[in-house]
């Protein structure tokens, strides 16, 4: 996974994300925020959100169909396949139909020992449709290199959330 960091950074630099923002970053902290509009109803967006196999693009097994999410405090977003298993995140809070919060040190962040908070909120858009808001905070030790990692993580989330809010199966 460590080799993935430079590739993700390069990809992030090549792609502009109009709806995504690295709010702040330092060697030991990153704060990301994104807001995406959808033609999906709030209920339909929530239903899709809680099925990460429908929209998450980065699996360890190569098949997002192996992903499950236990939708309760302490529940796990995990991926299980023959020969392996990984936790993508642990649920910290659920407000059904509204908000999901996880401790989620995705990908290369797992081996870095970071404290993370990922909040995904679903709201109604005036005039129809819905709005998805993502806030991600990661804290680590000085020298963690989060300034360099932040654009790549923001890019990966932007890519996944665009798929999530798109009205396609």
């Amino acid at each position: 996974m460590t080799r993935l960091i430079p590739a993700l950074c390069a990809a992030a630099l090549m792609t502009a994300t109009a709806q995504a923002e690295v709010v702040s970053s330092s060697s030991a902290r990153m704060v990301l925020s994104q807001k995406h509009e959808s033609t999906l109803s709030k209920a339909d967006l929530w239903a899709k959100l809680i099925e990460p196999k429908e929209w998450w693009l980065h699996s360890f097994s190569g098949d997002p169909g192996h992903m499950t999410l236990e939708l309760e405090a302490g529940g796990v977003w995990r991926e299980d396949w023959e020969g392996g298993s990984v936790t993508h995140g642990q649920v910290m809070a659920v407000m059904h139909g509204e908000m999901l919060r996880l401790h989620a040190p995705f990908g290369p962040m797992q081996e870095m020992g970071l404290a993370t908070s990922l909040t995904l909120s679903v709201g109604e858009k005036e005039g129809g449709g819905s709005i998805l808001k993502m806030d991600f905070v990661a804290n680590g030790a000085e020298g963690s290199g989060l300034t360099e990692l932040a654009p790549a993580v923001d890019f990966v989330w932007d890519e996944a959330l665009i798929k999530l809010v798109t009205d396609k199966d």
Side-chain angles (χ1 to χ4, degrees), residues 12-166:
L13 294 174
M14 295 184 331
T15 305
T17 53
Q19 299 171 312
E21 179 184 7
V22 175
V23 176
S24 66
S25 65
S26 69
S27 176
R29 180 177 171 85
M30 78 169 87
V31 178
L32 310 176
S33 183
Q34 296 190 20
K35 188 175 184 179
H36 296 270
E37 294 184 358
S38 178
T39 58
L40 294 168
S41 70
K42 181 180 172 187
D44 287 345
L45 182 58
W46 177 261
K48 193 172 175 184
L49 168 66
I50 62 174
E51 292 291 338
K53 64 185 173 190
E54 299 297 322
W55 57 273
W56 186 247
L57 302 168
H58 300 273
S59 71
F60 281 75
S61 69
D63 181 356
H66 293 134
M67 292 187 198
T68 59
L69 174 62
E70 300 165 342
L71 202 56
E72 60 187 28
V76 178
W77 173 350
R78 60 185 296 141
E79 181 178 357
D80 296 291
W81 67 98
E82 187 175 327
S85 179
V86 66
T87 295
H88 289 273
Q90 184 169 22
V91 176
M92 294 191 293
V94 178
M95 305 299 174
H96 292 280
E98 305 280 333
M99 186 272 296
L100 173 63
R101 181 171 296 129
L102 301 108
H103 166 61
F106 288 92
M109 291 182 283
Q110 281 189 346
E111 63 192 54
M112 297 171 70
L114 302 178
T116 63
S117 176
L118 168 68
T119 302
L120 297 161
S121 303
V122 177
E124 290 184 20
K125 186 174 83 175
E126 192 173 317
S130 55
I131 296 175
L132 176 71
K133 177 122 173 53
M134 183 277 293
D135 293 293
F136 180 78
V137 178
N139 293 292
E142 278 301 320
S144 293
L146 297 185
T147 298
E148 294 78 21
L149 189 57
V153 174
D154 193 54
F155 172 81
V156 167
W157 273 105
D158 190 51
E159 181 182 48
L161 296 181
I162 287 170
K163 184 173 181 185
L164 172 57
V165 299
T166 302

